[in-house]
Amino acid sequence: MIDAAFESDEAFQHTLLKVIKEDLELTAIEFSEYANIPPSTLYKLMSGNRGPNMRTLRQIVKTIRTIEGSDKGDFIAVIAARPVLDNINETKRKIGGTLCTIREYSATTMEEAIIAAVRAEREGAKALVCAPIVSPTVEKIIRIPVATIMPKNSVIEAIEAVARKIK
């Protein structure tokens, strides 16, 4: 971001758009709230109608570093089979006014799920979501909160699908 700011206004504009929309997966409004920058100022910067002053540039860089830092820690780990993880569309979600990062851990066996839980805790997970078959064991070996996936609709849908196959 800083290199782009010193390169040209166009480079800064392009980099800012890419970072906010693609890398951070945020809207301009969400980013302006996190950065405490008025939305109108951010829109002017993103459209190229205005170059950043030093204070605004510092605030943008600080906010990006804070949000990107949440990827290295302060995340919620989800342990599940790949087909379940493929249904997760968001890598960040605003929960109770706080931006939470969601990190996926694929596991196909109980052993892989337990190893993934320990790894997630070591990597900085603040909480963990996993299947009911493994959650009682995981709760005994890690110190972070654990929530259990309760796939009510998907269980019914699977029963109906298999029932159609046996007719």
Side-chain angles (χ1 to χ4, degrees):
M1 182 62 61
I2 294 170
D3 290 341
F6 285 111
E7 183 180 326
S8 69
D9 288 343
E10 294 79 24
F12 175 76
Q13 174 192 0
H14 174 73
T15 303
L16 181 61
L17 280 165
K18 182 186 175 302
V19 168
I20 291 173
K21 296 193 182 272
E22 295 175 24
D23 298 344
L24 301 177
E25 298 178 354
L26 295 173
T27 65
I29 297 289
E30 290 170 328
F31 186 82
S32 73
E33 288 173 5
Y34 292 121
N36 200 24
I37 296 171
S40 60
T41 300
L42 190 60
Y43 281 118
K44 288 175 187 174
L45 293 170
M46 292 171 69
S47 66
N49 292 334
R50 176 178 167 189
N53 61 36
M54 286 305 283
R55 181 173 177 253
T56 303
L57 180 60
R58 279 194 300 270
Q59 191 61 30
I60 288 170
V61 171
K62 179 182 175 188
T63 302
I64 291 169
R65 285 182 177 161
T66 300
I67 293 171
E68 285 180 337
S70 69
D71 286 342
K72 297 177 179 81
D74 292 346
F75 61 91
I76 297 172
V78 178
I79 301 172
R82 178 51 47 204
V84 173
L85 295 175
D86 287 344
N87 289 323
I88 298 174
N89 297 326
E90 300 176 74
T91 57
K92 295 183 186 335
R93 184 178 188 112
K94 201 169 189 178
I95 302 170
T98 302
L99 184 66
C100 295
T101 300
I102 300 165
R103 189 179 296 176
E104 302 172 353
Y105 290 82
S106 180
T108 55
T109 66
M110 293 273 290
E111 181 181 52
E112 287 177 356
I114 293 167
I115 291 168
V118 171
R119 192 173 92 229
E121 183 180 41
R122 286 182 182 164
E123 291 176 357
K126 296 299 179 193
L128 185 114
V129 177
C130 62
I133 197 163
V134 73
S135 62
T137 303
V138 167
E139 286 176 319
K140 292 175 185 172
I141 59 173
I142 64 174
R143 295 177 298 271
I144 58 177
V146 176
T148 304
I149 298 169
M150 298 304 287
K152 295 175 186 173
N153 291 341
S154 63
V155 171
I156 300 302
E157 289 170 9
I159 292 168
E160 291 171 353
V162 78
R164 285 190 296 273
K165 289 182 180 181
I166 60 174
K167 288 183 179 181

